[in-house]
Amino acid sequence: MDVNGREYLARMAELFDLPADVAAGLSHMELLGDRQLLLEGHEGLLAYGTELIDVSVGGAVLRVTGEGLTLKSMTEREVRIGGRIDGVEFLR
């Protein structure tokens, strides 16, 4: 995205009182210790297992590795992953 595009998104976010990441369509991730990950703005699961979960996010893959990984909840917008999380990595 060029500078003009970023400026436009920043102005729209301000106009509608939205966080800039939401206006830009970026994913939002929260890690709660090593036991739970909340991801908002996903595009679907690509791989699912107890040691690896791959989630599509904005042209990249968010890879979560660990032990005993489970989907605690999943909606069209949000994924919540539980278990022992050892690593979180973006793959492009």
Side-chain angles (χ1 to χ4, degrees):
M1 180 179 302
D2 65 9
V3 173
N4 290 331
R6 286 191 292 273
E7 289 173 4
Y8 174 77
L9 289 174
R11 279 187 263 135
M12 289 296 103
E14 186 177 325
L15 177 66
F16 291 107
D17 196 27
L18 296 171
D21 58 341
V22 172
L26 299 176
S27 297
H28 175 85
M29 178 178 60
E30 292 181 27
L31 189 59
L32 305 171
D34 66 348
R35 295 294 174 190
Q36 193 170 106
L37 181 135
L38 169 65
L39 175 65
E40 297 172 333
H42 71 90
E43 297 170 353
L45 290 181
L46 301 173
Y48 175 70
T50 60
E51 295 180 352
L52 179 136
I53 298 177
D54 284 347
V55 185
S56 178
V57 289
V61 174
L62 180 72
R63 174 165 286 167
V64 180
T65 56
E67 289 186 24
L69 298 177
T70 61
L71 284 178
K72 303 204 57 79
S73 64
M74 182 173 172
T75 66
E76 183 178 311
R77 175 106 182 103
E78 176 183 297
V79 173
R80 189 175 302 265
I81 297 170
R84 192 186 83 206
I85 298 170
D86 294 331
V88 178
E89 178 182 16
F90 280 100
L91 306 172
R92 296 187 192 273

